[in-house]
Amino acid sequence: MTSHKQFILSLEGVSKSFDGFKAINDLNFYMDEGELRVIIGPNGAGKSTMLDIITGRTRPDKGKVEFGANTDLTELNEYEINRLGIGRKFQTPSVYIDHTVFENILLSLQGSRSVWSTIFSRVTASQRERIHEVLKTIGLTDRATWKAGALSHGQKQWLEIGMLLAQNPKLLLVDEPAAGMTDEETAKTGELLMSLAGKHSIIVIEHDMVFVRQIARTVSVLHQGSLLCEGTVDQVQSDERVIEVYLGRKKKAQ
Ligand code: ADP
Ligand code: MG
């Protein structure tokens, strides 16, 4: 074994049961800084629960969850974990539809979920600059003054990613970003996520294999709460265990 530089995230021997059902079962997972990692797996594999554990929403029954060199995430609550620089995007976009795209990002930048009334008088030049930088990254510069509610589904998803980026997270967790998107929006989302890798470490959970193929360098396959296999898209797609897990499910569905 060669010595390894510090992982940004490592899970070791993590388990979590719900009423005796092992949603996460002795899970080991390691990720390098700056990596864009894709996690796939059948429904119920434990993917979202894994994110819940990383973000402190769910506390594991056992195991280690470490962020960087020596931060034990299992000791911290959701708010503290978010403050460390771990941002999560849920499946459904939760933007403020009655406020403009600009305001949505400003709100996130200020880290406050209230005090709307005074928001505009408080925008500093550096905040404005940062917001425009984020808008450019997510491709919504020309939508800055639009109400978020007027955006397409895909644009809302990008805005929400922008709201996370405003907080400059070290680790970004994105659950099924391509769900409900057009092919064109999906491809753009892939480009966006790839452009963020390196600057941020990113975990993407995704079902759409065309999308996975577009963005993935390393894919981790989760099954019954454990890591089934890991590798390139080609490696995991030709892995007998992966084929069996997916085909097995298809047979049942028929
Ligand atoms: P995935 O995201 O891979 O589809 P989940 O992590 O959502 O899978 O769920 C894994 C399993 O754990 C499922 O069987 C689900 O019903 C169960 N589960 C997840 N969260 C809870 C919870 N809070 N309470 C009870 N069961 C849960
Ligand atoms: Mg899920």
Side-chain angles (χ1 to χ4, degrees), residues 18-19 21 23-24 41-50 52 58 175-176 205 207 222:
F18 296 109
D19 304 319
F21 174 78
I24 296 291
N43 269 331
K47 303 181 297 296
S48 296
T49 304
M50 178 182 164
D52 289 343
T58 296
D175 205 343
E176 298 190 30
I205 290 178
H207 284 296
L222 219 63

Side-chain angles (χ1 to χ4, degrees), residues 137-148:
T137 304
I138 59 175
L140 292 181
T141 300
D142 61 351
R143 297 290 185 271
T145 59
W146 282 36
K147 290 265 172 73

